[in-house]
Amino acid sequence: MHINGFNLVDKSTQRPSQLHPYQVDAVTKALGMSVQDRRRFMFFNMGTGTGKSVVSTAGAVELFNRGEIDVALVFTLKTVKPDFRRFIEQATTLSVKQVEGTKARRRKLYESGAQIFVLNYEKMRASIDYSFLADVVRG
């Protein structure tokens, strides 16, 4: 599977790498669901270390390539945010912001025009950042 703008690198050898067959299958199924059902939300529930970050990033890049999305929200644990952001920066040419800090700083980040936002699960709560996020994805 080739996805323009997605370049996977093997961590141990620093050489170009490819998706594993089960990851190709996951991306293919997710992209098929997107086209068939016009779904705008994808959820991967695979085991630890199976490449959910790789699969979701590859799928997002392809959806950007197709013009089907213009923003992606990545919800993850606080401890994983920096690694996920770095992976996206290394594997893609998409603009990515790691969302954290005060409410005012987070609002500025949401208004930055980035294509991907990496943030904590709880930021979707109505009492936290829901109104800002709703503006980001509106339309």
mmCIF file of all heavy atoms in Angstrom, residues 44 50 56 99 124:
data_model
loop_
_atom_site.group_PDB
_atom_site.id
_atom_site.type_symbol
_atom_site.label_atom_id
_atom_site.label_comp_id
_atom_site.label_asym_id
_atom_site.label_seq_id
_atom_site.Cartn_x
_atom_site.Cartn_y
_atom_site.Cartn_z
ATOM 1 N N PHE A 44 -10.079 2.428 16.321
ATOM 2 C CA PHE A 44 -9.313 1.192 16.214
ATOM 3 C C PHE A 44 -9.112 0.627 17.607
ATOM 4 O O PHE A 44 -8.674 1.325 18.507
ATOM 5 C CB PHE A 44 -7.941 1.450 15.578
ATOM 6 C CG PHE A 44 -8.043 1.846 14.143
ATOM 7 C CD1 PHE A 44 -7.928 3.162 13.772
ATOM 8 C CD2 PHE A 44 -8.275 0.890 13.175
ATOM 9 C CE1 PHE A 44 -8.038 3.538 12.447
ATOM 10 C CE2 PHE A 44 -8.388 1.249 11.848
ATOM 11 C CZ PHE A 44 -8.273 2.571 11.476
ATOM 12 N N THR A 50 0.555 -2.950 18.422
ATOM 13 C CA THR A 50 0.178 -3.462 17.103
ATOM 14 C C THR A 50 0.177 -2.389 16.028
ATOM 15 O O THR A 50 -0.021 -2.691 14.859
ATOM 16 C CB THR A 50 -1.210 -4.130 17.146
ATOM 17 O OG1 THR A 50 -2.150 -3.178 17.622
ATOM 18 C CG2 THR A 50 -1.204 -5.362 18.012
ATOM 19 N N SER A 56 -3.830 4.627 12.178
ATOM 20 C CA SER A 56 -4.686 5.816 12.186
ATOM 21 C C SER A 56 -4.042 6.977 11.442
ATOM 22 O O SER A 56 -4.727 7.720 10.740
ATOM 23 C CB SER A 56 -5.054 6.214 13.614
ATOM 24 O OG SER A 56 -3.908 6.458 14.392
ATOM 25 N N VAL A 99 -1.941 19.589 21.909
ATOM 26 C CA VAL A 99 -2.787 20.511 22.663
ATOM 27 C C VAL A 99 -2.584 20.316 24.158
ATOM 28 O O VAL A 99 -2.822 19.234 24.693
ATOM 29 C CB VAL A 99 -4.271 20.318 22.292
ATOM 30 C CG1 VAL A 99 -5.146 21.258 23.090
ATOM 31 C CG2 VAL A 99 -4.474 20.519 20.800
ATOM 32 N N MET A 124 -12.759 16.729 25.355
ATOM 33 C CA MET A 124 -14.062 16.751 24.682
ATOM 34 C C MET A 124 -15.209 17.079 25.630
ATOM 35 O O MET A 124 -16.325 17.322 25.182
ATOM 36 C CB MET A 124 -14.342 15.396 24.014
ATOM 37 C CG MET A 124 -13.784 15.271 22.627
ATOM 38 S SD MET A 124 -14.343 16.559 21.503
ATOM 39 C CE MET A 124 -16.008 16.017 21.164
#
